[in-house]
Amino acid sequence: MSSTESINVLGLESEALSQLIVQWGGKPFRARQLSQWIHQRGVDNFDQMTDLAKDFRLRLDAHCVVRGPDVILEKRSVDGTRKWLFDMGKGNAIETVFIPEDDRGTLCISSQAGCTVACPFCSTGYQGFSRNLTTAEIIGQLWHARRALRQDPGAARLGAEGDSARVVSNVVMMGMGEPLLNYDQVLGALRLMVDDHAYGLSRRRVTVSTSGVVPMIDRLARDCPVALAVSLHAPNDALRDRLVPLNRKHPLNELLDACNRYLEYAPRDFITFEYIMLDGVNDSDECARELIEVARRVRCKFNLIPFNPFPQSGLKRSPTARIRLFAQRLMDAGQIVTVRKTRGEDIDAACGQLAGEVQDRTRINERLPDRARIVIRKQERG
Ligand code: SAH
Ligand code: SF4
């Protein structure tokens, strides 16, 4: 059954699930079994959960559902990248992207429909803010992707030791939204990701990316210290105030101190600093020099992100030679630097384009099925 009153157990952490079962007079270990069925085997029909007693299954069926997000459309890139556009109701859509690599498969998931931070280089920022996602909607992206990839023999080959469920080996909260401004719901999803009876990912393989919500960085350190990426993008407050407006509230000094506090709890011994490469904005030698000073204050690695242009931004990607030189300047100072490869460009799955397609009226009608167009028109009105 699927009445609107039903509890969506997809979003319940192990403790909440145990509580529910104990309330019904059941044994807490049933929660583990249920969690394995839902999250590990991807089963959404209680009747198929054969090691649960029949009356328990009937009770679950009467009061609960396992409901993942509705897919509006799915795309595959020639490079193996896959993207899902999910319907979040009331005209909202979010995206999830799967990026296969030789030794891992990374799922990039969203935490909010839109974002309040409004960074001028980010197409999600241009969308404004609609709402926070629930834990069920956040974990539902991983749940759905694993189910879809399990049915895909091409993707299954990537799974460790033939276990296709491991195709998603890493999760990054780098989709739409600022995860630390939706703290409680994101925390619930993170706990499910690292729970051995749910997804069992190691904390090192789950990354939260934040624009710098300092108080929540401290809370995350205590509650569920996963790997942390900080969207730095500028080496000083004057520039960062413009590129990441949240900097006006939590300036660089405060942010760097929070990074150092986080390192005491982090599963990795460094913070990843993301730095978007914007032509003539933050890619000068002077910026590199200042950045080296910043880097001396925190154990970190740099991930330089070539900007993905979109029409409204008026910004340009730094030329490849400039990105290379910028990386070299940092490396010459002893920093560890990677330059992010752009993936899935043919399906607009590349970083920063997550909302772009939903908003782009000019191309949208050629490319999306009817249902998606409805979502987009509603968004335009909203
Ligand atoms: N709100 C969080 C997480 C989502 S954004 C944050 O800002 O960290 C994830 C990453 O995508 C961030 O580093 C962000 O700066 C980057 N990004 C956003 N728009 C982009 C674009 N147009 N091109 C390249 N990277 C972009
Ligand atoms: Fe929000 Fe991150 Fe985009 Fe900035 S880069 S607008 S914080 S999603």
Side-chain angles (χ1 to χ4, degrees):
M1 82 157 242
S2 61
S3 105
T4 48
E5 303 299 315
S6 302
I7 304 166
N8 188 3
V9 283
L10 191 57
L12 294 189
E13 288 173 47
S14 63
E15 208 167 301
L17 208 53
S18 301
Q19 270 172 18
L20 182 78
I21 289 166
V22 170
Q23 256 176 36
W24 289 353
K27 295 268 187 294
F29 77 89
R30 294 279 172 221
R32 291 203 294 274
Q33 284 176 308
L34 189 53
S35 180
Q36 285 161 353
W37 279 110
I38 298 166
H39 299 292
Q40 293 179 0
R41 302 196 209 178
V43 171
D44 57 359
N45 180 341
F46 296 116
D47 206 40
Q48 288 171 8
M49 303 181 180
T50 44
D51 59 359
L52 303 179
K54 182 79 185 164
D55 59 341
F56 181 46
R57 280 187 268 157
L58 287 173
R59 191 150 192 189
L60 282 166
D61 200 41
H63 299 285
C64 305
V65 285
V66 180
R67 191 168 50 230
D70 289 335
V71 181
I72 297 170
L73 97 154
E74 187 189 333
K75 287 188 173 190
R76 286 169 197 233
S77 161
V78 287
D79 68 13
T81 302
R82 286 173 69 163
K83 181 182 75 170
W84 295 271
L85 186 68
F86 292 117
D87 186 0
M88 292 290 118
K90 296 195 177 149
N92 296 310
I94 54 141
E95 292 201 13
T96 305
V97 182
F98 175 69
I99 306 149
E101 287 170 281
D102 290 342
D103 58 343
R104 71 186 128 172
T106 303
L107 193 70
C108 177
I109 69 181
S110 298
S111 56
Q112 299 180 310
C115 183
T116 52
V117 181
C119 305
F121 53 81
C122 174
S123 51
T124 305
Y126 278 81
Q127 229 191 191
F129 177 69
S130 296
R131 70 171 176 88
N132 283 326
L133 303 189
T134 63
T135 295
E137 288 166 337
I138 299 166
I139 206 68
Q141 298 167 62
L142 174 57
W143 182 82
H144 179 89
R146 290 221 325 183
R147 274 166 52 114
L149 292 167
R150 193 179 273 155
Q151 286 154 12
D152 179 341
R157 273 203 304 280
L158 291 158
E161 288 140 30
D163 173 5
S164 59
R166 307 295 299 179
V167 172
V168 179
S169 60
N170 295 53
V171 173
V172 293
M173 306 256 358
M174 293 185 186
M176 296 166 74
E178 169 47 58
L180 297 188
L181 288 178
N182 181 17
Y183 187 78
D184 292 338
Q185 302 298 321
V186 165
L187 179 62
L190 294 175
R191 285 184 167 151
L192 283 167
M193 288 175 207
V194 301
D195 181 347
D196 281 340
H197 302 292
Y199 297 90
L201 294 171
S202 98
R203 290 191 288 123
R204 303 160 59 88
R205 289 177 175 272
V206 175
T207 301
V208 165
S209 173
T210 180
S211 55
V213 190
V214 166
M216 296 302 157
I217 292 177
D218 287 324
R219 279 187 65 186
L220 188 66
R222 290 191 300 271
D223 293 340
C224 190
V226 293
L228 187 68
V230 169
S231 290
L232 204 60
H233 305 320
N236 60 58
D237 281 323
L239 186 54
R240 198 163 189 272
D241 279 353
R242 279 169 47 210
L243 292 182
V244 187
L246 190 70
N247 194 69
R248 295 173 203 155
K249 194 163 174 201
H250 302 295
L252 264 177
N253 264 334
E254 228 187 273
L255 178 58
L256 299 178
D257 287 348
C259 289
N260 278 323
R261 289 193 296 274
Y262 195 85
L263 279 171
E264 291 171 28
Y265 300 83
R268 294 178 180 271
D269 60 0
F270 60 89
I271 303 285
T272 302
F273 282 148
E274 296 164 281
Y275 196 94
I276 194 164
M277 299 302 296
L278 297 166
D279 187 25
V281 176
N282 65 352
D283 62 351
S284 66
D285 284 351
E286 179 55 25
C287 282
R289 268 193 296 278
E290 281 185 80
L291 199 54
I292 290 162
E293 290 311 309
V294 167
R296 293 213 163 105
R297 297 176 51 188
V298 178
R299 273 202 316 278
C300 64
K301 288 186 183 174
F302 282 97
N303 192 1
L304 303 184
I305 311 173
F307 169 60
N308 275 303
F310 59 100
Q312 304 99 311
S313 76
L315 296 161
K316 284 195 298 204
R317 178 188 296 179
S318 306
T320 308
R322 175 85 316 245
I323 298 177
R324 230 179 269 143
L325 198 64
F326 196 88
Q328 195 57 52
R329 299 261 184 268
L330 298 179
M331 287 190 285
D332 289 346
Q335 298 299 323
I336 297 171
V337 184
T338 52
V339 178
R340 186 176 294 171
K341 269 191 288 176
T342 305
R343 296 285 303 266
E345 276 192 303
D346 54 327
I347 58 166
D348 283 354
C351 184
Q353 294 183 327
L354 294 178
E357 178 179 282
V358 181
Q359 289 214 313
D360 186 345
R361 296 171 213 195
T362 52
R363 290 177 302 159
I364 206 76
N365 287 343
E366 305 151 23
R367 298 193 307 190
L368 295 185
D370 287 337
R371 196 149 163 252
R373 277 185 227 148
I374 294 164
V375 172
I376 285 136
R377 275 201 293 274
K378 281 195 207 149
Q379 271 193 340
E380 285 167 1
R381 280 205 305 274

